[in-house]
Amino acid sequence: MSMAWPMSVILSLLTTSPSQSPEVAQLDVEAVSQARTQLRQGCYMKANAILHSRAWEMGTPRLGSQVYQMWSDLQPVLGAEVPEPLSREASGSTTMSPAADRRVPGPGPSITSRDAVKTIKAMASRTRLVILNEDHSNPRHRAFALSVARALRPLGYNVLGIETLTGFADDQEARAAMLQLTLQGYASPKSGTYLVDPVFGDFIRQSLALGYRPVAYESTTQLVNGSMVERVEKREQDQAENIRRRAFDAFPDGKVLIYVGFNHAMEKPAEIGPFKGVSWLAERLHRITGIDPLTIDQTALEANNDPNFHSAYHADPKGKPRSFVNFIEGRPVVAGRYAGSVDLQVHHPVEVRRAGRPTWLAELGRKRVPVPSHLLRTNEPRLVQIFMNRERNGIPVDQVLVQPGGSKPVLYAPRQAFRIVSQSLHSKCP
């Protein structure tokens, strides 16, 4: 068993900025490694402090460094206000980020908007494989993924492949681990790289409750002497073969939802820097299974990312409170680097916050509860967390960072029995 790092992290750590000395680069790598260890143990505050010490220098963010990117990605996981600048372009990390390199006509009579989940459900009825991507730094995408999983379940979708789950070299070991996860009903922070995020944890928790069978398919091998492109291609092929055996062969009558990061949803190669011509996971799965997947991108049209680019997609003059997809003359609109490579592209409207928290958290089936008053009386930052009573070593259902003298944030609690705890930099982790 191995803990696979995401390709965006691996690639960025392989390259040292021209202005960065080898000594500084090594300190950054060590900080990232130490922070990941702390996160797997549930020590969010300690991990945040480790990253902050390297991500900022005399009050100035070290934009372009991997340690800053990881620190900034952690902030929404803490339930904190998202810092600026946080876009991958602004931070200098563009390895795997979408590029707004193509535009579509502005709103007009030929453009119509349709509810994203309803559209996905209708199109998913024509296949037995759906592939949805995410931006690994955006918890909101996991909430949307849960909405998709709920909608697909009545159609017979019952297998869920998740990129972040820890990889296994042996199929039997993978099946045993996934059976244990199914019986347990929830994941732990050690179950995968991004499962320190409460929203991701709840996506898995609720999907298991719906009856989905989880599949871990991450590659566990790397080409030691291969080029960057060769290593990417090896990973894509390993993942596709793992999914074929562990999802389609293991569940011959099953319908499969695969949740991936960024480019893995592409059915055709795209012009992406050094990855030009790379055949990604979706294309390889189509080839080896013979199943034409429904592929969906939800990363390029995030309204918070680039208002100038995304203004072309506001086809509904009244605005859409829910995520939607655009059609021109009955055909889905797909733009950016995903044009011609995915079937659908989801537009998420601008995030709305209330009491410092994003309102889309309510879509997870949660209720708003105040942070207990005694936890607001603090002389140091504290992370207030909600855990399910029945879970041991589980992932928080929600958490929020409370600052001394700051505003009074709210928590989004489950409707089952839960407990509220807190941790500081100096306290023992839950």
Side-chain angles (χ1 to χ4, degrees):
M1 183 175 71
S2 67
M3 178 70 72
W5 279 23
M7 185 57 63
S8 57
V9 172
I10 294 172
L11 295 179
S12 59
L13 291 179
L14 289 174
T15 305
T16 300
S17 169
S19 60
Q20 193 177 53
S21 69
E23 293 79 10
V24 170
Q26 181 59 35
L27 289 173
D28 286 354
V29 171
E30 291 174 358
V32 168
S33 178
Q34 292 169 9
R36 288 192 178 279
T37 298
Q38 294 294 334
L39 288 171
R40 286 194 291 270
Q41 297 172 355
C43 300
Y44 292 85
M45 296 297 284
K46 290 182 174 65
N48 190 50
I50 290 170
L51 293 172
H52 189 278
S53 68
R54 296 293 309 161
W56 294 78
E57 188 172 22
M58 299 183 67
T60 301
R62 293 179 54 221
L63 302 181
S65 68
Q66 175 59 32
V67 72
Y68 176 81
Q69 186 64 50
M70 185 176 176
W71 174 84
S72 63
D73 289 351
L74 183 59
Q75 302 315 296
V77 171
L78 299 177
E81 292 281 356
V82 179
E84 293 292 342
L86 258 188
S87 73
R88 292 174 182 266
E89 289 77 14
S91 67
S93 177
T94 59
T95 304
M96 306 290 280
S97 61
D101 53 359
R102 300 182 192 173
R103 295 174 181 267
V104 297
S110 62
I111 296 182
T112 58
S113 296
R114 304 179 189 177
D115 181 89
V117 174
K118 291 180 180 179
T119 301
I120 291 170
K121 182 177 181 179
M123 296 181 68
S125 65
R126 307 168 197 162
T127 183
R128 55 183 291 228
L129 173 59
V130 174
I131 304 176
L132 171 68
N133 76 354
E134 72 157 14
D135 179 335
H136 295 312
S137 65
N138 195 330
R140 180 187 197 174
H141 290 172
R142 289 133 195 185
F144 180 76
L146 176 58
S147 298
V148 172
R150 287 172 179 158
L152 297 187
R153 191 67 186 90
L155 299 180
Y157 281 81
N158 59 353
V159 180
L160 178 61
I162 309 173
E163 177 186 324
T164 195
L165 290 175
T166 299
F168 298 86
D170 179 75
D171 287 350
Q172 186 173 354
E173 186 182 5
R175 284 194 294 270
M178 294 302 99
L179 178 59
Q180 181 180 356
L181 177 59
T182 301
L183 295 174
Q184 182 173 278
Y186 63 91
S188 76
K190 297 180 180 179
S191 300
T193 301
Y194 299 111
L195 290 180
V196 297
D197 172 27
V199 182
F200 212 150
D202 207 33
F203 168 39
I204 292 182
R205 181 185 294 111
Q206 293 200 43
S207 294
L208 294 175
L210 288 170
Y212 279 93
R213 297 295 298 271
V215 170
Y217 64 85
E218 181 59 82
S219 173
T220 59
T221 60
Q222 291 188 24
L223 295 175
V224 177
N225 298 318
S227 68
M228 185 185 298
V229 169
E230 289 172 335
R231 277 177 279 179
V232 170
E233 291 181 329
K234 174 70 163 60
R235 184 189 183 209
E236 300 302 300
Q237 187 63 26
D238 285 353
Q239 289 182 330
E241 292 175 356
N242 287 341
I243 291 172
R244 177 183 57 79
R245 294 193 311 274
R246 299 173 188 178
F248 290 101
D249 292 352
F251 306 98
D253 297 323
K255 292 187 176 182
V256 182
L257 170 62
I258 305 294
Y259 190 55
V260 305
F262 288 121
N263 306 334
H264 302 296
M266 288 184 168
E267 296 185 65
K268 295 180 181 178
E271 305 288 330
I272 312 173
F275 305 109
K276 180 180 180 180
V278 167
S279 176
W280 298 93
L281 174 64
E283 182 179 3
R284 293 171 188 268
L285 268 178
H286 189 177
R287 185 186 308 143
I288 67 177
T289 65
I291 302 170
D292 185 8
L294 171 63
T295 50
I296 308 152
D297 164 58
Q298 64 165 332
T299 64
L301 302 188
E302 183 70 42
N304 290 350
N305 289 348
D306 185 349
N308 293 325
F309 174 62
H310 303 304
S311 62
Y313 297 87
H314 288 282
D316 186 342
K318 297 180 181 179
K320 282 282 184 178
R322 302 179 69 86
S323 301
F324 63 94
V325 292
N326 275 342
F327 285 73
I328 294 181
E329 298 178 350
R331 296 189 302 274
V333 177
V334 180
R337 77 182 194 200
Y338 293 99
S341 295
V342 298
D343 297 312
L344 290 175
Q345 205 161 44
V346 176
H347 182 113
H348 294 306
V350 174
E351 183 177 274
V352 176
R353 286 184 168 248
R354 184 178 302 165
R357 307 301 308 285
T359 55
W360 53 256
L361 284 167
E363 297 174 11
L364 295 165
R366 313 260 190 89
K367 58 182 179 180
R368 286 160 52 94
V369 298
V371 173
S373 58
H374 71 279
L375 293 178
L376 294 172
R377 297 190 294 270
T378 178
N379 57 6
E380 63 177 335
R382 300 192 69 86
L383 186 65
V384 181
Q385 302 173 295
I386 288 182
F387 286 90
M388 301 287 285
N389 275 350
R390 65 180 180 86
E391 295 182 4
R392 296 184 59 189
N393 302 319
I395 300 165
V397 179
D398 191 28
Q399 57 189 15
V400 64
L401 196 61
V402 175
Q403 299 286 358
S407 59
K408 299 180 180 179
V410 297
L411 289 161
Y412 280 81
R415 302 192 182 277
Q416 300 87 352
F418 63 88
R419 65 187 185 276
I420 298 179
V421 302
S422 71
Q423 63 173 271
S424 69
L425 178 59
H426 306 293
S427 65
K428 183 180 179 180
C429 302

